[in-house]
Amino acid sequence: MAAESAVTSTPPSTVPSNPVGAAVAVPPGLARSWLLVPGSVDDLAARVAASVADVVVVDLEDGVAPDDKGAARRALVALADAGERPWVRIGDAASDEWRTDVALLRGAELVAGVVLAKVEAPEHVRRTADALDGMLPIVALVESARGVEAALDLAETPGVVRLAFGSGDFRRDTGAADDPLALLFARSRLVTASRAAALPGPIDGPTVSRDGAVLAEASRHAASVGMTGRLCLREEQVPVVNDALSPSASELAWAVGVLDTLDRCGIRDGSDLPRIARAQALLDAAAAFGIDTDAAGRHVSDYAN
């Protein structure tokens, strides 16, 4: 279909997005940018408050040196006292750090959700959910071959709201290169498992490079596979990721055109229903991201069916 081929060629920068700095409350199931901020940084409160990421994740795991973990946990409590409720990444369920982390979180309204590191089996999720009395949503961070192979079981485990890909640790575990083709199976496995379990698209691993063009291309590749979120390591990565994982101007024009044709002509053949579902999903995402769709309506004729 011409309209669908057109949407893949439009640069993300053409998206009529909300102004940078105007944060929009995006549900975790739709969140594009997941900014990891080490809990040990001196300006933690300021960075959390100023971020325009869809989700800010205070890192108590790999981003914090062992000697600094106590201070990072105290900083998380201070954030809650100041009225901030970010997400938090905690240690894997086989670690002593996990026990300390869940003891801190249990029964306390400190965070909005948990990113559980190094998940390899449903039992890791179940133990965490039980330790937290089932009160917090869990993103299962898959970082190994065993985790990828268990992807569907993890996605179907109660408490899991999304899967995420720890691409760096996965490469260390498997010896895979930092190359889209080498990691295609793992990403696709998480995508199909998420879909089969009726979860949102998974969250891709971060890009270490400071080159914005590299980040944009990697994010577009993740989106082409079916991933709908991205871990970020720095605030400046957030706008690039948000643009790459948002509906483009041409996608929105196509979506408006599809629904306009439905209003005028009704269902015409069997291909209409999936097109309508896709169009509505694009418009729903745009609304969640604070993207103005009025301009798309003015260009519907360019994407006629």
Side-chain angles (χ1 to χ4, degrees):
M1 179 172 55
E4 289 182 322
S5 63
V7 302
T8 61
S9 60
T10 302
S13 59
T14 64
V15 174
S17 182
N18 58 302
V20 173
V24 175
V26 177
L30 290 174
R32 304 154 294 181
S33 51
W34 293 69
L35 178 66
L36 284 167
V37 182
S40 55
V41 296
D42 292 335
D43 56 348
L44 177 63
R47 289 176 63 174
V48 170
S51 180
V52 295
D54 289 343
V55 174
V56 178
V57 183
V58 174
D59 193 5
L60 300 182
E61 200 232 357
D62 282 355
V64 179
D67 290 345
D68 294 333
K69 290 189 184 290
R73 294 183 183 107
R74 289 190 292 275
L76 181 65
V77 172
L79 276 180
D81 291 342
E84 296 284 357
R85 290 188 71 219
W87 280 59
V88 64
R89 179 166 74 165
I90 66 173
D92 69 271
S95 69
D96 290 337
E97 299 295 349
W98 174 88
R99 296 181 181 87
T100 306
D101 290 340
V102 296
L104 174 70
L105 299 176
R106 184 172 185 174
E109 296 184 357
L110 299 180
V111 298
V114 169
V115 177
L116 180 60
K118 298 178 175 63
V119 181
E120 293 189 332
E123 179 60 22
H124 294 168
V125 177
R126 286 194 289 266
R127 287 183 60 204
T128 303
D130 289 347
L132 298 173
D133 297 323
M135 299 301 294
L136 292 172
I138 296 172
V139 168
L141 184 56
V142 176
E143 306 183 65
S144 66
R146 290 186 65 85
V148 168
E149 290 301 314
L152 181 56
D153 290 338
L154 297 177
E156 292 181 331
T157 304
V160 172
V161 297
R162 220 158 159 188
L163 299 181
F165 184 36
S167 49
D169 280 335
F170 177 81
R171 289 191 293 107
R172 281 190 286 274
D173 183 46
T174 62
D178 186 10
D179 178 85
L181 184 59
L183 299 176
L184 181 60
F185 170 78
R187 287 189 169 108
S188 297
R189 176 79 166 167
L190 297 187
V191 168
T192 56
S194 296
R195 179 58 186 156
L199 293 184
I203 302 160
D204 197 16
T207 291
V208 176
S209 173
R210 292 182 176 271
D211 187 326
V214 171
L215 174 62
E217 178 58 30
S219 300
R220 287 193 293 268
H221 170 74
S224 75
V225 173
M227 305 189 107
T228 57
R230 198 101 205 271
L231 292 172
C232 300
L233 301 177
R234 296 176 293 278
E235 182 67 30
E236 60 266 27
Q237 293 181 327
V238 169
V240 179
V241 167
N242 283 351
D243 274 353
L245 298 182
S246 295
S248 68
S250 59
E251 283 180 304
L252 293 176
W254 173 82
V256 170
V258 166
L259 298 185
D260 179 66
T261 300
L262 173 67
D263 287 341
R264 289 185 289 104
C265 306
I267 300 294
R268 299 164 300 175
D269 57 50
S271 69
D272 278 340
L273 290 179
R275 281 150 46 98
I276 291 166
R278 171 64 176 158
Q280 191 60 60
L282 288 168
L283 294 174
D284 289 347
F289 301 150
I291 296 173
D292 180 10
T293 58
D294 289 344
R298 294 192 290 271
H299 299 289
V300 168
S301 61
D302 295 336
Y303 301 93
N305 295 282

